[in-house]
Amino acid sequence: MEKLNHFETPLFDALMEYVNNNTIPFHVPGHKKGNGMAKKFFDFVGKNVLSMDVTVFEQVDSLHKPTGPIKKAQELAADAFGADATFFVIHGTSGAIQAMILSVMGENEKIIVPRNIHKSVTSGIILSGAIPVYMQPEVDKNVGVALNVTPETVEEALRNNPDAKAVLIINPTYYGVSADIVKIAEIVHDYGAVLMVDEAHGPHLKFNEKLPISAMEAGADICAQSTHKIIGSMTQSSMLHVKSKRIDINRVKQVMSLLQTTSPSYILLASLDVARMQMVTEGKELLDRTIELAEYARREINNINGLYCFGNEIVGRDGAYDFDPTKITITAKGLGITGHELEDILAKKYYIQPELADMYNTLCVFSIGDTKENVDYLIRALREISETLYKDNVEMSKALDMPEIPEMVLSPRYAFECSNIALPLEESIGQISSEFLMAYPPGIPILCPGERITREIIEYVIEMKNAKLSIQGTEDPNVEYIKVVNDLQILNITA
């Protein structure tokens, strides 16, 4: 096989040729290289970016039927990430995950998933009509973070559901915890199922040996990655990688064409092209530096009174086969505050914006774009916060246990689409949910459509709200009401 030249950036180069030729645009978008753009936006963004904001024509290729630079850029990406085919995605990894599920799953077919999935997985399940079978990930109760699933948990789920068509796992989690994906791939394939991977937080794994193994290297059949999260593409740009042994690549093409806009952003597409080039040609060095900065930050944070930042010490526990050191999870309960309160102080007093906060933790994501100067500023801010808040013998709150996975009464798709009525949360206990309840970020569902609402779930949601954590999923923005199934015929059958 011909060795590909990863210094090439075919799509970016095609756009530059268009710009450098001073091509006169009688095509959309209407701002015409920025000439029709509002001045204050144009002055900030500049002409360069707006000049490459184009539409579909032969010179720059078509995302839906690529034959030129997009085709070549995707082939280079597939080679770089170890896939048989790679698809550029410009509606986020949520869209890639939905496409992944729709490419494999049909109505009433079983898919085994961990409970700490992102809401996009459940959205894909609803769109496909598949039936989810949930696995419970291991949990670190000290910091209140879900880890990952074990191979034993995956095998038990398959043993109990031998008709499952696919298993989906997360590699790594939002907090950087990886499963034993090589062993899981062997188990899944032994049962004749497909292994899908939500690798939103692992687009960098392939490019440095100090990181956990990537899904494609480990034997996954299809995986979705957020290229924009750690490496250098733009927000909303992602990739879907496919192996052809168990996946019909033409089916994936059809699904991607069904879901993606016919007016894709060539700026986002070009950023994927150059991000691949950067990772293959200098990714190891860039990631070495990122890992070094993250480990430096972890050491310094662990020397600050009242704060804790877990690292490789969790490796070897159930559900923590490996760990991505670029994730800095700062546990603040030793200061007597929540992760949300720590995030609030960092954002409002120090103008430092973390990635997310939960009940006990604030997560800072390190990437190839971080600098020593910025990391030192974060550490100084945390030291000042500790000096203000730390007290000896502070009463540390105990991690709340996530509610038990509730009974699934109806398929998620049916419950989502059928007749419903809104009830106050406290009056919904015992009903079948028509909506989601989830802590966001990271978007992990506490309750999914089709599941029986329990008192434990409602009490957990109220505690989350009291802690000023974001609960989403309901049509009611204040999450005071939740829609429940109101189909009398169904309710009589399922009562």
Side-chain angles (χ1 to χ4, degrees):
M1 184 178 175
E2 179 188 357
K3 189 173 181 180
L4 300 181
N5 179 5
H6 279 283
F7 285 95
E8 292 184 5
T9 51
L11 179 53
F12 180 73
D13 292 348
L15 291 167
M16 287 301 93
E17 181 183 20
Y18 167 89
V19 171
N20 293 332
N21 287 341
N22 293 316
T23 304
I24 298 171
F26 284 101
H27 59 73
V28 298
H31 64 71
K32 303 293 178 79
K33 297 188 176 181
N35 293 324
M37 185 67 71
K39 186 175 185 302
K40 65 180 180 180
F41 188 87
F42 178 88
D43 287 346
F44 181 78
V45 174
K47 189 171 181 63
N48 284 351
V49 168
L50 296 173
S51 293
M52 60 189 288
D53 187 18
V54 301
T55 190
V56 179
F57 47 82
E58 183 178 0
Q59 183 179 0
V60 296
D61 208 358
S62 165
L63 182 62
H64 287 262
K65 193 176 180 181
T67 58
I70 293 178
K71 180 176 185 287
K72 181 66 181 294
Q74 290 185 150
E75 287 172 349
L76 283 162
D79 183 68
F81 287 89
D84 293 332
T86 290
F87 298 87
F88 284 0
V89 184
I90 40 73
H91 59 314
T93 311
S94 293
I97 287 170
Q98 291 164 3
M100 178 167 68
I101 294 170
L102 285 164
S103 296
V104 175
M105 303 304 301
E107 190 161 8
N108 295 323
E109 292 179 328
K110 286 184 184 177
I111 179 171
I112 296 171
V113 296
R115 188 63 179 189
N116 58 328
I117 48 173
H118 187 265
K119 71 173 183 177
S120 58
V121 175
T122 314
S123 300
I125 289 169
I126 288 173
L127 290 170
S128 68
I131 306 298
V133 176
Y134 292 106
M135 301 179 285
Q136 193 67 269
E138 302 299 317
V139 175
D140 185 323
K141 292 191 176 182
N142 181 44
V143 295
V145 165
L147 302 177
N148 220 309
V149 293
T150 64
E152 292 76 18
T153 298
V154 173
E155 185 157 27
E156 181 183 7
L158 283 164
R159 192 164 51 246
N160 294 334
N161 298 274
D163 55 339
K165 189 173 184 181
V167 173
L168 184 148
I169 66 168
I170 306 165
N171 184 68
T173 67
Y174 219 138
Y175 299 94
V177 182
S178 288
D180 185 352
I181 190 170
V182 172
K183 189 170 183 181
I184 287 172
E186 292 171 357
I187 293 167
V188 171
H189 294 152
D190 284 346
Y191 276 83
V194 167
L195 179 61
M196 306 180 191
V197 180
D198 170 1
E199 202 163 51
H201 296 276
H204 56 310
L205 300 183
K206 173 75 162 56
F207 304 102
N208 196 290
E209 71 282 354
K210 298 170 187 172
L211 298 169
I213 191 170
S214 71
M216 287 286 100
E217 291 176 291
D221 299 300
I222 186 168
C223 88
Q225 291 178 339
S226 292
T227 318
H228 64 91
K229 279 189 166 65
I230 308 295
I231 55 183
S233 72
M234 295 182 74
T235 295
Q236 206 172 303
S237 61
S238 302
M239 295 187 192
L240 183 63
H241 304 297
V242 187
K243 292 276 194 178
S244 60
K245 184 175 181 180
R246 296 175 182 85
I247 303 289
D248 182 348
I249 290 177
N250 287 324
R251 167 70 176 173
V252 181
K253 286 180 183 177
Q254 289 178 323
V255 170
M256 290 297 296
S257 186
L258 182 72
L259 293 178
Q260 297 220 85
T261 176
T262 54
S263 301
S265 167
Y266 280 80
I267 299 169
L268 300 185
L269 292 171
S271 77
L272 287 169
D273 191 21
V274 296
R276 179 271 315 156
M277 179 274 295
Q278 184 184 38
M279 277 295 102
V280 176
T281 60
E282 53 182 326
K284 182 186 182 304
E285 294 76 16
L286 290 169
L287 288 166
D288 275 342
R289 183 173 159 280
T290 304
I291 293 165
E292 184 180 337
L293 272 177
E295 294 292 19
Y296 161 68
R298 182 172 285 105
R299 288 192 303 271
E300 293 298 315
I301 292 167
N302 280 327
N303 285 324
I304 298 173
N305 287 331
L307 297 179
Y308 169 60
C309 181
F310 69 79
N312 282 325
E313 72 273 12
I314 69 164
V315 174
R317 299 182 193 174
D318 287 345
Y321 181 78
D322 207 344
F323 176 67
D324 174 8
T326 67
K327 305 300 189 295
I328 299 294
T329 302
I330 307 164
T331 304
K333 63 181 183 177
L335 297 179
I337 60 174
T338 66
H340 175 81
E341 288 168 329
L342 178 58
E343 177 191 42
D344 204 46
I345 296 168
L346 287 169
K348 292 180 179 176
K349 183 175 180 180
Y350 297 96
Y351 299 101
I352 294 170
Q353 184 55 62
E355 170 69 12
L356 69 82
D358 59 31
M359 179 68 90
Y360 307 102
N361 309 289
T362 299
L363 174 65
C364 292
V365 174
F366 279 40
S367 77
I368 60 173
D370 284 304
T371 65
K372 176 71 159 45
E373 180 184 13
N374 287 345
V375 172
D376 281 337
Y377 181 65
L378 169 65
I379 292 165
R380 286 197 302 273
L382 291 170
R383 284 194 184 119
E384 286 183 16
I385 293 168
S386 170
E387 288 166 5
T388 302
L389 297 178
Y390 181 73
K391 299 174 184 175
D392 288 331
N393 302 317
V394 67
E395 185 177 341
M396 288 194 251
S397 56
K398 185 181 177 183
L400 289 176
D401 289 332
M402 281 281 288
E404 291 290 321
I405 298 174
E407 173 195 10
M408 188 172 69
V409 185
L410 301 173
S411 76
R413 177 195 254 179
Y414 192 95
F416 185 77
E417 292 181 345
C418 73
S419 174
N420 57 62
I421 186 172
L423 292 179
L425 286 183
E426 292 80 0
E427 295 178 21
S428 70
I429 296 168
Q431 301 291 325
I432 303 168
S433 178
S434 221
E435 294 187 291
F436 294 96
L437 281 173
M438 54 202 160
Y440 198 91
I444 296 170
I446 304 159
L447 181 73
C448 295
E451 293 178 342
R452 184 86 66 186
I453 301 170
T454 66
R455 181 172 299 281
E456 184 187 17
I457 286 170
I458 298 304
E459 289 175 350
Y460 183 84
V461 168
I462 291 170
E463 288 197 65
M464 294 291 105
K465 289 177 65 182
N466 289 341
K468 297 183 179 179
L469 295 171
S470 177
I471 300 292
Q472 297 184 15
T474 57
E475 187 177 292
D476 171 21
N478 298 317
V479 197
E480 301 292 342
Y481 288 80
I482 184 168
K483 286 187 172 180
V484 301
V485 171
N486 192 38
D487 187 321
L488 291 177
Q489 184 177 353
I490 292 295
L491 293 176
N492 287 334
I493 294 171
T494 58

